[in-house]
Amino acid sequence: QVQLVQSGAEVKKPGSSVKVSCKASGGTFSNHAISWVRQAPGQGLEWMGGIIPTFGTANYAQKFQGRVTIIADESTSTAYMELSSLRSEDMAVYYCARGRFPGEWLSSHDYWGQGTLVTVSS
Amino acid sequence: DIQLTQSPSFLSASVGDRVTITCRASQGISNYLAWYQQKPGKAPKLLIYGASTLQSGVPSRFSGSGSGTEITLKISSLQPEDFATYYCQQLNSYPPTFGQGTKVEIK
């Protein structure tokens, strides 16, 4: 059974960066896209970007271009999302999610991490 | 970006009711649409992909239909565990956007 386990909650100051990890177990890691989706309190879902580990390159939503970096370490089956220049509007739960179909960049998300709450406060 | 508009945004229904949620896209997305269910404090759960294919383990009371710019999710007989928020997501083009959500509450 595939499991995605994310790192714990973070409290960050405005202007700083946060790095969230997502460790996969079960199934194959390298050829399924891992996306990052965030959800601000009481709000909907927002796709930030994704990576297919075996390809190495990431795609990002234009809204986050230049502020977000997504990488994957195949040796540890772990994906990471780093968001910089944090502002109050970035306070949200950040989820990683696996693409259902191997090798497909645009794929529905069949497994999700438990979410990581990032609080941005001075 | 492709905009997805779900209707209704809020729905009050009783156990046993038949429920329909519509997702309208700002441009054609063929059948590249997924539906998710989210309960408070939990990650979303994939219900349907390809507009009409039920994800493994999802009860058959859930069904999806449509293509192009209008796609629907139907719950044939609402169960207590179905009270949640439902989101559609288009996977036709980048970025893969979500609808704003439909909250299904108990009447």
Side-chain angles (χ1 to χ4, degrees):
Chain A
Q1 177 73 336
V2 175
Q3 265 199 311
L4 301 177
V5 178
Q6 299 182 220
S7 48
E10 302 264 11
V11 179
K12 294 292 181 179
K13 294 195 182 304
S16 67
S17 299
V18 68
K19 191 171 186 177
V20 182
S21 68
C22 171
K23 184 170 175 61
S25 60
T28 51
F29 174 76
S30 293
N31 56 353
H32 286 260
I34 296 289
S35 289
W36 290 88
V37 176
R38 77 176 186 179
Q39 187 170 39
Q43 302 301 308
L45 302 168
E46 184 173 33
W47 184 87
M48 300 176 67
I51 188 169
I52 298 179
T54 196
F55 295 167
T57 54
N59 282 306
Y60 304 115
Q62 186 152 8
K63 173 177 178 177
F64 300 101
Q65 284 274 4
R67 275 212 307 144
V68 67
T69 303
I70 295 171
I71 61 173
D73 182 345
E74 291 183 81
S75 68
T76 60
S77 298
T78 303
Y80 299 88
M81 185 282 299
E82 183 169 25
L83 186 64
S84 62
S85 303
L86 289 169
R87 32 208 191 231
S88 58
E89 310 89 87
D90 294 318
M91 190 158 75
V93 175
Y94 290 77
Y95 294 101
C96 62
R98 192 191 83 152
R100 193 190 184 285
F101 295 101
E104 285 195 9
W105 282 101
L106 284 169
S107 183
S108 51
H109 313 301
D110 58 352
Y111 291 97
W112 293 67
Q114 82 276 19
T116 297
L117 175 63
V118 174
T119 301
V120 182
S121 173
S122 53
Chain B
D1 297 4
I2 294 176
Q3 309 301 318
L4 297 181
T5 303
Q6 291 182 228
S7 59
S9 295
F10 177 85
L11 190 159
S12 181
S14 301
V15 172
D17 283 353
R18 179 180 178 86
V19 164
T20 299
I21 299 169
T22 300
C23 182
R24 291 185 176 86
S26 58
Q27 62 191 76
I29 57 171
S30 185
N31 66 338
Y32 296 110
L33 188 110
W35 289 99
Y36 300 88
Q37 177 194 68
Q38 188 180 32
K39 296 183 179 179
K42 299 293 188 184
K45 172 187 172 184
L46 177 64
L47 298 176
I48 287 171
Y49 59 92
S52 61
T53 303
L54 216 58
Q55 170 69 351
S56 175
V58 174
S60 59
R61 63 181 179 272
F62 291 92
S63 65
S65 63
S67 68
T69 59
E70 188 168 309
I71 294 171
T72 59
L73 171 71
K74 288 185 169 67
I75 309 172
S76 60
S77 177
L78 205 60
Q79 297 302 300
E81 60 268 30
D82 301 336
F83 292 95
T85 300
Y86 293 84
Y87 294 94
C88 57
Q89 181 195 29
Q90 66 83 17
L91 296 146
N92 182 75
S93 62
Y94 276 103
T97 44
F98 290 90
Q100 84 278 12
T102 295
K103 187 171 185 179
V104 178
E105 288 201 343
I106 302 173
K107 184 183 280 185

